[in-house]
Amino acid sequence: MIKSPRGTRDLLPPDTALWNFVEAAVRDVFRAYNFQEIRTPIFESTELFARGVGEETDIVSKEMFTWEDRGRAESDKGQSLTLRPENTAGVVRAYIEHKLWERGLNKLFYIGPQFRRERPQKGRYRQFYQIGAEVIGPPSSGSESPARDAEILELLATLLDRVGIANWTLELNSVGSPSDRARFNDALKKALAPVVGSMCTDCQRRAVTNPLRVFDCKVPEDQPIIEKLPRISHFLDESSRAHFDQVQAILKSVGVPFVLNDRLVRGLDYYTRTAFEFTHGALGAQNAILGGGRYDGLAEALGSAQSAPGIGFAIGEDRLVLSLTESAESVIRKPDVYIAPLGAGMNLPAARLARELRRHDLVVELGDEAFKLKKSFEAAVKIGSRHILIVGENEVKADAFAVKHLASGEQVTVPRSELAMWIEQHN
Ligand code: HAM
């Protein structure tokens, strides 16, 4: 038997109804904040992620699905391509490619699959889905303002409340400017030098390649050492500090609760200043329901001549759906009526009737004239239809149809012209 590849999964009904419910609610929220949708390819040049996300990150160094795309003709050059592990680099690539700075501030959102070769477990898949947004533009458009950071965080609080996620925690940090981080890195290396020998092998490697990543360590024995390391919060310069203070002041004034976590460094290299995660208890080890932050130098790193500060986030849609208390059954719209054609030749009038009722926005399931009445009733009950409607020769002649409300057993004969209204009103 052929099975879906490791770390991937099929989303089946009724769960897909829950996914659609989430996406519809999210689209409403984005509309209220004047965001517009962007769709970028699911694969990009490998170089985009190497330069955008960072060669030293786990994502780029070990989790990407990459292949060499041979040219189809002599003149075609081959190229290394990669299934996107995230979408921020792609959006910024599109921003540069299509000169989106000419439109001022861009507020863009996306919903789609991402790919990382991680060890699969609950809430962690190799194909997973993100709902993300990016606010990006030239500095003159206000893209660097702490007001944008606070607005994004307030949007997220609204969005999670709207889809019914209770008890989330917003963890907030500032990872500073590149020069803040350079000073912090030096201090970190100095502090690690005498202790790193007793840490895990991952940390020993991190201490050399990217000391900041030591804060990602989950090994219990290393935690007392990590607790004593210097924190980025002590290395913020005047302007980073003021920016972060302003973000917090706005959040307090609009009533979005947060906790400061100066160990939060995020797993991608493009972040500057504000960085955040929303966590949720129901998720277990993979408890980050979403993450994001500011990336003021990313456009330049990807070759833009103009600076384009930005901030964004991505929600793990799989994890969002896992944390919902809503059940799939409760968001599915059950059929309003099951039409049961009774006897030879009745498929035709039944099809006409179904077409009419569906034009009135009713959800209609259509049976088959080959079914006995008993089988039609069973089918109607099985799919949870509210009514069953019989289309037999007598009904067609009279142009009036027997409709039965399945829950109450109430049955009446209704003229064709009043059918839609009758069904609608009898819930
Ligand atoms: P990220 O933290 O790598 O950030 O991913 C964001 C979210 O995607 C995570 O919090 C998690 O919910 C979900 N996620 C990540 N990997 C997996 C996986 N293997 N299986 C299931 N869910 C997963 C980014 O991707 C950035 N692009 C976010 C961003 C946008 N920053 C600025 N703009």
Side-chain angles (χ1 to χ4, degrees):
M1 190 173 49
I2 300 176
K3 291 191 174 165
S4 75
R6 182 169 148 79
T8 70
R9 56 200 188 127
D10 301 305
L11 301 175
L12 305 171
D15 289 350
T16 42
L18 219 42
W19 286 68
N20 284 331
F21 159 79
V22 163
E23 289 173 16
V26 159
R27 284 174 189 280
D28 279 350
V29 172
F30 280 132
R31 200 170 305 124
Y33 287 77
N34 197 30
F35 277 74
Q36 290 179 300
E37 184 166 5
I38 182 170
R39 299 190 190 193
T40 61
I42 65 162
F43 61 85
E44 299 264 4
S45 71
T46 305
E47 191 190 353
L48 174 69
F49 304 113
R51 272 164 57 184
V53 177
E55 305 257 25
E56 288 302 329
T57 58
D58 281 357
I59 295 176
V60 173
S61 65
K62 50 188 186 201
E63 294 171 357
M64 298 207 299
F65 291 96
T66 296
W67 70 98
E68 207 49 47
D69 194 50
R70 289 179 291 109
R72 292 181 56 122
E74 280 296 314
S75 53
D76 254 2
K77 271 219 307 274
Q79 192 186 12
S80 177
L81 298 175
T82 292
L83 287 180
R84 63 184 188 194
E86 63 100 52
N87 213 16
T88 307
V91 169
V92 175
R93 195 254 323 125
Y95 171 89
I96 299 167
E97 189 170 334
H98 305 289
K99 300 190 170 56
L100 296 187
W101 60 81
E102 289 172 355
R103 309 181 185 184
L105 191 67
N106 293 271
K107 298 164 76 178
L108 305 166
F109 78 90
Y110 49 83
I111 301 177
Q114 317 293 336
F115 306 85
R116 297 182 193 176
R117 189 188 274 111
E118 295 195 83
R119 196 169 45 77
Q121 63 182 82
K122 182 185 168 202
R124 190 162 74 192
Y125 311 100
R126 291 182 167 188
Q127 172 169 338
F128 59 99
Y129 294 80
Q130 284 186 342
I131 298 170
E134 314 293 346
V135 178
I136 182 170
S140 61
S141 68
S143 57
E144 215 169 346
S145 166
R148 299 289 71 78
D149 307 40
E151 188 180 23
I152 279 280
L153 292 165
E154 189 273 329
L155 177 159
L156 281 165
T158 301
L159 192 155
L160 294 181
D161 289 344
R162 172 76 185 272
V163 298
I165 305 275
N167 303 323
W168 46 261
T169 304
L170 161 54
E171 299 190 23
L172 195 60
N173 193 20
S174 173
V175 296
S177 66
S179 64
D180 298 338
R181 258 215 313 288
R183 284 182 291 117
F184 175 52
N185 253 320
D186 286 345
L188 212 48
K189 276 188 179 154
K190 276 208 194 86
L192 279 167
V195 291
V196 73
S198 57
M199 297 180 79
C200 69
T201 51
D202 273 342
C203 279
Q204 299 191 9
R205 181 178 46 80
R206 289 167 176 143
V208 181
T209 56
N210 198 347
L212 208 66
R213 295 270 83 85
V214 166
F215 289 100
D216 295 336
C217 177
K218 301 259 157 48
V219 176
E221 293 76 26
D222 288 0
Q223 299 311 308
I225 301 174
I226 294 169
E227 278 304 315
K228 293 202 195 82
L229 292 174
R231 298 300 164 86
I232 183 73
S233 51
H234 299 128
F235 293 81
L236 300 182
D237 68 12
E238 207 34 54
S239 86
S240 299
R241 163 68 46 208
H243 193 277
F244 194 39
D245 286 347
Q246 185 64 23
V247 174
Q248 295 175 54
I250 302 176
L251 287 178
K252 282 183 188 145
S253 112
V254 296
V256 172
F258 60 89
V259 295
L260 294 177
N261 174 3
D262 60 6
R263 271 190 68 165
L264 183 80
V265 290
R266 307 277 298 127
L268 305 91
D269 280 351
Y270 49 61
Y271 290 112
T272 54
R273 298 185 175 178
T274 310
F276 56 86
E277 280 177 4
F278 281 66
T279 53
H280 192 269
L283 286 168
Q286 304 303 317
N287 69 349
I289 205 163
L290 69 93
R294 187 163 267 293
Y295 43 84
D296 292 343
L298 180 55
E300 288 98 317
L302 296 178
S304 172
Q306 272 94 349
S307 112
I311 179 163
F313 64 82
I315 304 172
E317 192 176 358
D318 306 76
R319 296 185 193 175
L320 186 65
V321 172
L322 273 173
S323 349
L324 285 183
T325 44
E326 198 94 42
S327 76
E329 296 299 336
S330 69
V331 299
I332 283 181
R333 187 171 162 201
K334 289 278 164 56
D336 296 300
V337 60
Y338 181 98
I339 297 182
L342 200 62
M346 289 301 115
N347 273 347
L348 273 71
R352 279 201 300 276
L353 204 54
R355 186 164 157 89
E356 270 171 46
L357 296 180
R358 286 172 180 147
R359 281 189 179 145
H360 283 90
D361 250 355
L362 293 174
V363 180
V364 177
E365 179 75 34
L366 189 53
D368 194 290
E369 63 184 29
F371 295 174
K372 295 269 187 308
L373 192 57
K374 182 162 177 276
K375 180 165 172 183
S376 292
F377 265 92
E378 283 166 4
V381 169
K382 190 164 179 195
I383 61 167
S385 179
R386 288 192 291 112
H387 302 91
I388 185 165
L389 185 157
I390 314 294
V391 180
E393 233 164 279
N394 293 339
E395 282 85 358
V396 172
K397 260 191 217 122
D399 212 23
F401 299 84
V403 195
K404 184 169 189 167
H405 186 251
L406 284 162
S408 65
E410 181 193 357
Q411 179 170 332
V412 286
T413 299
V414 184
R416 181 186 210 107
S417 59
E418 291 164 28
L419 263 177
M421 216 195 338
W422 194 92
I423 291 169
E424 233 163 275
Q425 286 169 356
H426 286 73
N427 281 313

